[in-house]
């Protein structure tokens, strides 16, 4: 699968994208992806002109860039681990789009495309992000109640699958910190720690803590699920409802009670933010916070959980999911 976007560099010389308006490109590990960059005729020069150079770099930090590819006419140079892993699309004479094949976790991050001709320098930055979200899940019964087969079923019920090691690793690199161990698709049990602390494996280095592979039938843990962006959207019904009333309210609006996978995808991939607790299809009550603030989630962006209240309680709204027609 090749994920493709089109971008025309309308920037004039020395006009770079800022972090706030960077293009974001989403793709999953193992896929091929295109990072778009091209000239517009109004920029006044074409790649065919002698001296025009294309340079792609990956931004590893504020003052740290890794060279990816440089091209000048027929001459191209690909650096380090990117050899046999990236190439230019070159759909036409003004196309500088970078193709990355068979994505690995190390590929995610911020890239910069520079088109250089003499004193002119067009710069575009974009962020390559994982096209999905990893989330921890435990059922109404509470922590550590799922064997591997139960874990697979639990993720499917939330419109997700059991996450792979690569997916959890990328989520950890993105800041995920969770103290409960969960199943992964290879049968191992792990958990991601970015803030080492005594109750979560001790004050040793941050990373993925592993219990190794466990008996899929007898061992019981939580699970890490992975879901992709959905062809639909989540919305909130702002009423005080029981669980049954919440389901009916969504149906009356041509929708269904959102699953946990729906709310995480809306939060992580679409920036959904609401400080109102609402019922979800599994009987849990949660709310998504993309912009941390007092009384909602003061320290971090997260999907906050109230747990699994009594379904007869008429205290919460409803998060509904409507698929696009």
């Amino acid at each position: 699968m090749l994920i493709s976007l089109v971008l025309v560099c309308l920037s004039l010389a020395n006009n770079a994208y800022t972090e706030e308006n960077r293009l974001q490109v989403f793709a999953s590990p193992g896929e091929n992806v295109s990072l778009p960059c091209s000239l517009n005729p109004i920029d006044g020069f074409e790649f065919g002109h002698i001296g025009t150079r294309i340079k792609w770099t990956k931004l590893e930090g504020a003052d740290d860039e890794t060279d990816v590819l440089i091209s000048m006419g027929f001459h191209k140079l690909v650096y380090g681990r990117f050899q046999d892993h990236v190439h230019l699309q070159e759909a036409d004479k003004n196309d500088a789009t970078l193709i990355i094949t068979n994505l690995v976790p190390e590929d995610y991050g911020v890239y910069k495309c520079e088109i250089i001709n003499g004193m002119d320098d067009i710069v575009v930055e974009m962020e390559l992000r994982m096209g999905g979200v990893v989330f921890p899940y435990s059922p109404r019964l509470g922590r550590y109640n799922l064997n591997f087969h139960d874990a697979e079923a639990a993720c499917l019920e939330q419109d997700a699958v059991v996450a792979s090691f690569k997916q959890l690793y990328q989520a950890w690199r993105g800041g995920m910190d969770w103290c409960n161990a969960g199943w992964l698709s290879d049968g191992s049990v792990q958990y991601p720690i970015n803030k080492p602390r005594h109750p979560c494996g001790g004050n040793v280095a941050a990373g993925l803590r592993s219990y190794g592979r466990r008996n899929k039938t007898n061992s019981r843990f939580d699970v890490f699920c992975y879901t992709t962006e959905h062809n639909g959207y989540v919305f909130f019904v702002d009423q005080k409802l029981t669980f049954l009333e919440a389901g009916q309210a969504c149906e009356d609006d041509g929708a269904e009670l959102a699953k946990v996978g729906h709310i995480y995808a809306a939060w992580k991939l679409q920036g959904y933010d609401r400080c109102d607790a609402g019922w979800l299809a599994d009987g849990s009550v949660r709310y998504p916070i993309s912009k941390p603030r007092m009384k909602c989630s003061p320290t971090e962006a997260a999907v906050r959980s109230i747990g699994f209240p009594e379904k007869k309680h008429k205290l919460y709204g409803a998060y509904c999911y409507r698929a696009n027609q």
Side-chain angles (χ1 to χ4, degrees):
M1 177 181 180
L2 176 62
I3 297 177
S4 178
L5 295 175
V6 177
L7 175 68
V8 176
C9 304
L10 298 177
S11 315
L12 293 178
N14 300 312
N15 183 19
Y17 274 40
T18 65
E19 186 172 352
E20 289 73 20
N21 62 6
R22 266 180 198 147
L23 174 71
Q24 292 186 334
V25 179
F26 294 90
S28 297
E31 292 182 337
N32 300 339
V33 66
S34 63
L35 302 183
C37 185
S38 64
L39 280 179
N40 186 289
I42 67 172
D43 293 320
F45 59 93
E46 298 178 347
F47 292 161
H49 289 187
I50 296 174
T52 300
R53 184 172 66 149
I54 307 164
K55 181 179 181 181
W56 278 93
T57 55
K58 186 171 185 287
L59 308 185
E60 307 291 358
D63 301 308
D64 185 12
E65 295 186 11
T66 298
D67 290 330
V68 176
L69 178 148
I70 290 180
S71 174
M72 184 179 291
F74 294 106
H75 302 286
K76 295 179 175 61
L77 179 62
V78 180
Y79 292 87
R81 71 173 187 84
F82 294 101
Q83 294 183 32
D84 300 321
H85 187 47
V86 305
H87 63 273
L88 293 180
Q89 179 172 270
E90 298 181 309
D92 56 50
K93 63 184 178 181
N94 291 326
D95 183 18
T97 296
L98 184 73
I99 305 296
I100 307 176
T101 60
N102 192 23
L103 282 175
V104 296
E106 291 74 21
D107 293 328
Y108 293 98
V110 178
Y111 289 80
K112 181 169 70 174
C113 170
E114 295 180 79
I115 302 171
I116 306 164
N117 184 275
M119 297 299 292
D120 295 315
D121 186 358
I122 295 172
V123 181
V124 179
E125 289 185 7
M126 62 205 74
E127 184 177 8
L128 176 57
R129 300 180 60 183
M130 182 175 286
V133 57
V134 173
F135 61 93
Y137 189 78
S138 57
R140 175 182 290 274
L141 293 174
R143 181 174 179 259
Y144 293 176
N145 271 288
L146 300 171
N147 68 21
F148 181 79
H149 311 292
D150 296 332
E152 288 183 309
C155 288
L156 286 174
E157 287 173 358
Q158 304 313 317
D159 210 9
V161 296
V162 179
S164 69
F165 171 82
K166 286 185 177 180
Q167 288 161 349
L168 184 64
Y169 175 76
Q170 181 62 29
W172 167 74
R173 288 190 64 185
M176 187 176 187
D177 184 281
W178 195 255
C179 202
N180 291 349
W183 290 103
L184 296 180
S185 59
D186 62 0
S188 68
V189 174
Q190 307 195 37
Y191 61 102
I193 296 296
N194 269 288
K195 301 172 184 176
R197 52 205 184 273
H198 181 71
C200 304
N203 293 316
V204 295
L208 295 185
R209 309 286 170 80
S210 178
Y211 288 12
R213 284 181 168 80
R214 294 293 171 132
N215 185 294
K216 292 184 176 181
T217 301
N218 297 328
S219 298
R220 296 184 179 273
F221 296 93
D222 292 346
V223 62
F224 289 99
C225 303
Y226 175 80
T227 189
T228 57
E229 191 163 12
H230 296 97
N231 186 27
Y233 63 95
V234 173
F235 62 94
F236 185 71
V237 176
D238 193 3
Q239 303 175 33
K240 300 300 183 184
L241 304 166
T242 66
F243 176 75
L244 291 177
E245 290 170 341
Q248 188 61 54
C250 292
E251 289 182 20
D252 291 345
D253 213 343
E256 61 179 300
L257 265 180
K259 298 177 180 179
V260 177
H262 295 150
I263 200 76
Y264 268 94
W267 163 72
K268 186 70 173 181
L269 305 178
Q270 300 171 8
Y272 191 42
D273 181 282
R274 186 157 189 128
C275 197
D276 300 285
W279 293 104
L280 297 180
D282 66 340
S284 66
V285 172
R286 306 173 194 247
Y287 60 98
I289 299 298
S290 294
K291 301 173 183 177
R293 55 200 183 274
M294 293 302 295
K295 298 184 179 179
C296 298
S297 180
T299 60
E300 61 181 352
V303 174
R304 294 298 185 187
S305 176
I306 306 298
F308 292 82
E310 288 291 333
K311 292 183 176 180
K312 63 183 180 182
H313 286 174
K314 197 168 183 146
L315 297 173
Y316 309 106
Y319 284 101
C320 305
Y321 174 77
R322 182 186 293 129
N324 293 331
Q325 299 299 316

